[in-house]
């Protein structure tokens, strides 16, 4: 899976909002000149973090321990193998999660619904689709991830027992869940299949003959 460490105040390493690489961060105090005392003093509410990636070196501005520049999302990036139509909603959710976690959760639910079609389901009723995948032997951890994303997303669209209005922490975890689902359901099977079919043809024939005898 794509590694991502959300930018956080005074953290020594995180995914740089400028270059996206996980890099060491240097923290720099900001000083101002006091015309009355004639001295420079640190501004307590403003800090800079500087990316130590040799290909970057850019700085971020933090005010009152919050990242204000660049105004990028702290949500993770989508998996490389995420289908393009799903990724489109994922990226839109990244853009709004800082100001509207509930909107982000609703968009991720839409992304999940689109993903279901890529997993061989109808993509009309997510709950039904999950049930069909369970019948086919869906791993428990993926079922939990799917249901969590489904329920939180539904609550964002139709508010009920869960209020996501200001719950950015939960919304950020939903991004991770969708990435986990894509990694387990799309990326891993593709990697296994690619490796398997690189075996010599004679080995593949032997495996096929073995399996035919068992059937």
């Amino acid at each position: 899976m794509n590694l991502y460490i959300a930018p956080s105040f005074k953290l020594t390493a995180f995914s740089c909002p400028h270059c996206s690489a996980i890099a060491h961060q240097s923290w720099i105090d900001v000083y101002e000149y006091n015309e009355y005392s004639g001295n420079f003093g640190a501004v307590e509410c403003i800090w800079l973090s500087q990316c130590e990636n040799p290909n970057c070196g850019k700085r971020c501005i933090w005010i009152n321990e919050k990242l204000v520049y660049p105004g990028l999302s702290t949500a993770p990036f989508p998996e490389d193998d995420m289908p393009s139509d799903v990724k489109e909603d994922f990226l839109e959710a990244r853009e709004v999660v800082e100001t509207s976690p509930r909107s982000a959760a609703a968009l991720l639910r839409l992304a999940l619904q689109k993903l279901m079609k890529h997993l061989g389901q109808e993509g009309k009723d997510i709950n039904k689709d999950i049930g069909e995948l369970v019948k086919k032997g869906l791993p428990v951890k993926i079922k939990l991830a799917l249901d969590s994303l489904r329920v939180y997303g539904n609550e964002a669209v139709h508010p009920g027992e869960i209020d996501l209005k200001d719950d950015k922490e939960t919304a950020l975890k939903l991004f991770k869940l969708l990435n986990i689902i894509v990694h387990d359901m799309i990326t891993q099977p593709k990697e296994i299949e690619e490796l398997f079919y690189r075996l010599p043809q004679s080995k593949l024939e032997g495996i096929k003959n073995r399996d035919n005898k068992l059937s």
Side-chain angles (χ1 to χ4, degrees):
M1 292 182 63
N2 296 337
L3 294 179
Y4 178 81
I5 301 176
S8 182
F9 182 67
K10 286 297 177 78
L11 198 63
T12 57
F14 52 72
S15 296
C16 174
H18 293 287
C19 68
S20 302
I22 296 178
H24 184 270
Q25 303 290 325
S26 296
W27 289 89
I28 306 167
D29 290 321
V30 176
Y31 290 86
E32 64 178 351
Y33 178 72
N34 188 316
E35 61 183 42
Y36 297 105
S37 65
N39 297 318
F40 284 91
V43 181
E44 295 183 0
C45 64
I46 304 176
W47 294 265
L48 302 177
S49 61
Q50 181 167 355
C51 177
E52 296 298 324
N53 178 1
N55 297 318
C56 182
K58 294 182 178 179
R59 294 177 176 179
C60 297
I61 301 174
W62 301 73
I63 297 179
N64 292 326
E65 303 185 5
K66 293 184 178 181
L67 178 65
V68 296
Y69 173 81
L72 299 181
S73 174
T74 57
F77 293 97
E79 280 285 305
D80 293 336
D81 291 316
M82 185 175 290
S84 59
D85 58 336
V86 180
K87 187 178 294 185
E88 183 179 351
D89 292 328
F90 188 103
L91 292 174
E92 185 177 347
R94 284 191 85 248
E95 293 178 1
V96 302
V97 68
E98 303 296 331
T99 55
S100 179
R102 184 170 59 186
S103 297
L107 284 165
L108 290 175
R109 180 202 174 280
L110 178 60
L112 177 62
Q113 187 167 355
K114 292 180 180 179
L115 179 63
M116 283 299 176
K117 292 185 178 180
H118 294 279
L119 300 181
Q121 304 305 309
E122 293 183 358
K124 296 180 180 180
D125 184 334
I126 299 177
N127 190 43
K128 180 182 177 182
D129 289 342
I130 295 174
E132 291 299 319
L133 290 173
V134 170
K135 291 178 183 178
K136 297 176 182 179
L138 184 72
V140 174
K141 68 173 183 178
I142 301 302
K143 184 191 82 69
L144 297 178
L146 287 168
D147 276 325
S148 295
L149 191 51
R150 174 183 65 84
V151 173
Y152 279 109
N154 285 342
E155 291 286 313
V157 178
H158 307 289
E161 298 178 36
I162 304 172
D163 185 5
L164 289 173
K165 185 176 181 180
D166 299 310
D167 192 354
K168 189 177 79 169
E169 181 180 356
T170 297
L172 290 175
K173 290 180 180 178
L174 297 181
F175 286 91
K176 294 181 180 179
L177 286 185
L178 190 56
N179 271 338
I180 289 172
I181 293 165
V182 170
H183 183 76
D184 277 57
M185 301 293 287
I186 296 178
T187 302
Q188 282 191 339
K190 186 183 76 171
E191 291 176 345
I192 293 171
E193 190 171 287
E194 287 177 351
L195 188 59
F196 177 77
Y197 285 107
R198 284 169 53 189
L199 292 172
Q201 188 60 37
S202 60
K203 300 297 182 183
L204 293 173
E205 288 294 332
I207 293 170
K208 181 178 180 181
N209 292 334
R210 179 205 63 194
D211 293 346
N212 286 338
K213 292 177 182 178
L214 295 174
S215 59

